[in-house]
């Protein structure tokens, strides 16, 4: 173990790859994080119950099974010391099944899909796709039940059109999500509709009493496992690096924290679609939990103004084939440290003060820092940082590891960066005092 209590890089990356593979939907990501929190002695709280928090206790709360807030109720005086908060999001762009997905064409069974978030669609062609998510069903005796499912085998594919049938494919190919994206699942005919297939699956997988499928939230994912790649193992290739990498980094940091500071990890669903929902960063979840933790309004305000939020979401590394897409002075490199994201128009919440605090945290861990601003002639993305900061009034810095192919179903990060950032997260969560500026 290193000084920070963090594993060495290879062990860390192996565990992150396992987490990425198991977390095929936001539901599964929250289940995986909860499993690790349980194992580390955190207690699950229900929002509908009365809470009795013990100083030094560790807790977590789920909402909709797809957003999670985990926190250490530290022994330090909360209004005096404030929270050390780390935010990330559990959702990633993907293809979600429509409520009535069944399509039959030329003897094939296909599924209609909705595009969730700003997905890059081309990478979804010719992949071995599986299905995962949450299903609700009724049993023989009329009970309503739900469960998370993950088929973990390839059951669908979206074959490309051969170049012979579209000679312009390499020059002018566009993708129509309604007509080009329905995957082929099997041959059609009796018993090939989704309800029959899912009931068959549920019966085989420990729910023999399932008789009717009521509803579901299911999405497709690429079955190719996450991997460390590159001649000298420089890179990590995986689906959902945006933003499960930042969830995992925050989680590892939290698990390495003692019980003195008030450390908070928030992982919200629905970032990729604007964050406005009961469980998104623009909803009331985090504020409601923090208010319950601290008690009265004045204590909340005092604590918030002693706090710092690190909003972690991946950044765009400068791609060697497209260097002109970055400002020449602000092109982050993979394996060169986390990136502070800055935008004069507040698409990111970083300020010179919060950037200074984050840089100091990185320096203390011997982790280099980079800066990103978008080219002045291009529009800027955003994340949960400005939303959370706007809702709570908390000082916030937007940061993230540099990546390529953001919103593809196979993204690329450096194999050093997540581990470096996790050391910073652990140091941050355990910091009883932040530098006074
Ligand atoms: Zn993101």
């Amino acid at each position: 173990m290193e000084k920070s209590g963090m594993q060495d890089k290879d062990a860390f990356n192996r565990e992150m790859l396992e987490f990425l593979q198991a977390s095929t939907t936001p539901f599964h990501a929250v289940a995986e994080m909860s499993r690790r929190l349980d194992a580390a002695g955190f207690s699950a709280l229900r929002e509908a119950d009365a809470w009795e928090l013990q100083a030094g206790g560790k807790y977590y709360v789920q909402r909709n099974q797809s957003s999670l807030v985990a926190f250490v109720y530290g022994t330090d005086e909360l209004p005096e010391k404030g929270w050390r908060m780390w935010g990330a999001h559990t959702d990633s762009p993907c293809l979600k099944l429509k409520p009535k997905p069944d399509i039959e064409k030329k003897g094939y069974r296909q599924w209609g899909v909705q595009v969730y978030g700003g997905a890059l669609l081309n990478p979804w062609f010719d992949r071995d796709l599986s299905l995962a998510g949450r299903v609700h069903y009724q049993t023989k005796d009329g009970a309503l039940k739900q469960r998370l499912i993950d088929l973990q085998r390839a059951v669908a594919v979206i074959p490309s059109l051969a170049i012979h049938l579209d000679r312009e494919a390499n020059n002018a190919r566009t993708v129509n999500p309604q007509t080009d994206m329905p995957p082929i699942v099997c041959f059609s005919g009796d018993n090939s509709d989704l309800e029959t297939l899912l009931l068959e699956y549920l019966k085989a997988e420990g729910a023999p009493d399932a008789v009717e499928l009521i509803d579901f939230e299911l999405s497709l994912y690429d079955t190719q496992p996450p991997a460390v790649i590159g001649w000298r193992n420089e890179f990590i290739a995986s689906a959902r690096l945006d933003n499960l990498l930042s969830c995992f980094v925050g989680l590892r940091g939290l698990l390495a924290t003692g019980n003195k500071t008030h450390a908070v990890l928030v992982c919200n669903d629905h970032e990729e679609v604007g964050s406005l929902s009961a469980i998104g960063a623009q909803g009331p979840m985090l504020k409601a939990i923090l208010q319950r933790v601290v008690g009265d309004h004045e204590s909340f305000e005092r604590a918030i103004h002693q706090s710092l939020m690190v909003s972690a979401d991946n950044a765009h590394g400068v791609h060697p084939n497209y260097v002109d897409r970055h400002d020449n002075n602000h092109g982050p490199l993979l394996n060169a440290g986390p990136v502070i994201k800055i935008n004069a128009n507040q698409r990111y919440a970083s300020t010179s003060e919060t950037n200074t605090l984050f840089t100091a945290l990185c320096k203390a861990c011997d982790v280099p820092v980079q800066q990103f601003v978008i080219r002045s002639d291009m529009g800027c993305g955003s994340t949960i940082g400005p939303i959370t900061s706007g809702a709570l009034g908390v000082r916030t810095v937007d940061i993230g590891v540099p990546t390529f192919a953001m919103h593809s179903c196979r993204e690329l990060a450096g194999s050093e960066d997540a581990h470096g950032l996790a050391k910073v997260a652990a140091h941050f969560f355990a910091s009883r005092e932040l530098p006074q500026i």
Side-chain angles (χ1 to χ4, degrees):
M1 294 288 257
E2 297 174 29
K3 198 173 91 204
S4 61
M6 196 56 58
Q7 306 149 294
D8 73 36
K9 187 191 77 184
D10 292 341
F12 176 91
N13 282 340
R14 270 196 303 279
E15 196 190 330
M16 183 166 77
L17 264 48
E18 284 165 19
F19 175 74
L20 289 163
Q21 176 147 24
S23 302
T24 47
T25 72
F27 303 118
H28 292 84
V30 165
E32 279 296 308
M33 287 192 276
S34 301
R35 194 166 64 72
R36 287 168 165 79
L37 289 163
D38 287 334
F42 280 68
S43 308
L45 295 172
R46 278 167 33 89
E47 290 188 280
D49 292 343
W51 294 356
E52 276 178 36
L53 305 179
Q54 308 293 329
K58 299 183 172 188
Y59 305 92
Y60 70 92
V61 184
Q62 291 183 4
R63 203 183 266 199
N64 186 47
Q65 300 175 285
S66 64
S67 288
L68 176 137
V69 175
F71 61 94
V72 178
Y73 186 59
T75 52
D76 280 347
E77 201 53 42
L78 179 50
E80 317 265 306
K81 303 285 185 180
W83 287 286
R84 308 288 173 263
M85 292 192 261
W86 185 278
H89 65 88
T90 58
D91 59 324
S92 306
C94 65
L95 304 177
K96 287 198 171 183
L97 263 52
K98 291 182 177 177
K100 295 171 76 171
D102 289 306
I103 301 169
E104 277 187 79
K105 240 191 217 175
K106 293 286 175 193
Y108 296 97
R109 168 69 60 194
Q110 294 179 270
W111 289 332
V113 291
Q114 311 181 70
V115 178
Y116 177 81
L120 203 52
L121 292 177
N122 272 307
W124 286 85
F125 290 89
D126 308 321
R127 301 265 175 180
D128 305 346
L129 301 175
S130 188
L131 186 71
R134 180 167 69 176
V135 296
H136 300 260
Y137 59 92
Q138 191 163 343
T139 64
K140 269 194 223 82
D141 49 15
L144 295 175
K145 295 204 171 165
Q146 64 169 18
R147 70 159 59 193
L148 303 191
I149 65 166
D150 183 345
L151 270 64
Q152 297 185 331
R153 67 186 180 94
V155 295
V157 61
I158 312 168
S160 295
L161 182 63
I163 192 155
H164 316 77
L165 304 180
D166 179 9
R167 293 285 179 190
E168 290 303 301
N170 288 334
N171 304 323
R173 181 151 187 230
T174 57
V175 181
N176 179 321
Q178 172 70 19
T179 56
D180 295 341
M181 299 312 288
I184 296 173
V185 183
C186 57
F187 291 104
S188 62
D190 291 349
N191 301 326
S192 67
D193 61 288
L194 181 75
E195 178 166 12
T196 305
L197 296 178
L198 282 180
L199 286 174
E200 225 172 69
Y201 174 83
L202 285 170
K203 284 181 178 149
E205 295 294 319
D209 53 347
V211 291
E212 188 187 346
L213 182 68
I214 308 289
D215 206 354
F216 53 83
E217 291 174 66
L218 293 169
S219 51
L220 298 168
Y221 70 91
D222 179 14
T223 53
Q224 185 178 7
V228 176
I229 64 168
W231 196 275
R232 293 201 166 89
N233 301 320
E234 292 90 340
F235 308 113
I236 286 174
S238 174
R240 304 177 297 280
L241 289 175
D242 175 12
N243 191 17
L244 295 181
L245 181 149
S246 306
C247 292
F248 183 76
V249 163
L251 179 71
R252 290 296 307 148
L254 187 69
L255 295 181
T257 304
N259 63 0
K260 293 190 175 67
T261 54
H262 291 266
V264 179
L265 171 68
V266 53
C267 298
N268 286 114
D269 196 357
H270 291 163
E271 189 273 345
E272 299 292 357
V273 293
S275 292
L276 181 54
S277 72
I279 56 175
Q282 209 175 331
M285 182 179 180
L286 178 61
K287 190 171 188 178
I289 290 170
L290 295 180
Q291 279 176 331
R292 288 179 78 166
V293 167
V294 74
D296 64 281
H297 181 65
E298 184 172 82
S299 299
F300 175 78
E301 288 300 324
R302 289 178 64 206
I304 275 293
H305 293 284
Q306 294 293 341
S307 299
L308 179 67
M309 169 92 178
V310 176
S311 158
D313 199 354
N314 297 347
H316 300 297
V318 59
H319 189 311
N321 295 353
Y322 308 94
V323 291
D324 62 341
R325 299 306 163 98
H326 276 71
D327 180 276
N328 205 27
N329 289 347
H330 303 90
L333 301 174
L334 272 55
N335 287 341
V339 179
I340 297 176
K341 300 189 274 185
I342 298 148
N343 182 255
N345 298 303
Q346 293 300 303
R347 301 287 291 165
Y348 299 125
S350 313
T351 68
S352 55
E353 181 184 331
T354 59
N355 299 347
T356 301
L357 292 172
F358 184 74
T359 303
L361 291 166
C362 291
K363 271 195 179 149
C365 301
D366 287 325
V367 171
V369 187
Q370 311 184 75
Q371 279 91 24
F372 173 79
V373 293
I374 195 80
R375 281 178 61 108
S376 300
D377 53 4
M378 285 172 70
C380 186
S382 192
T383 180
I384 63 165
I387 294 169
T388 309
S389 180
L392 297 178
V394 65
R395 294 182 298 175
T396 299
V397 59
D398 271 302
I399 59 103
V401 304
T403 61
F404 296 143
M406 190 183 285
H407 291 192
S408 168
C409 61
R410 191 82 177 167
E411 300 173 325
L412 195 75
S415 57
E416 310 270 339
D417 289 328
H419 181 246
L421 186 56
K423 286 197 278 189
V424 177
H427 175 60
F428 168 58
F429 278 137
S431 296
R432 300 181 72 186
E433 304 285 344
L434 293 171
Q436 294 297 320
I437 297 178

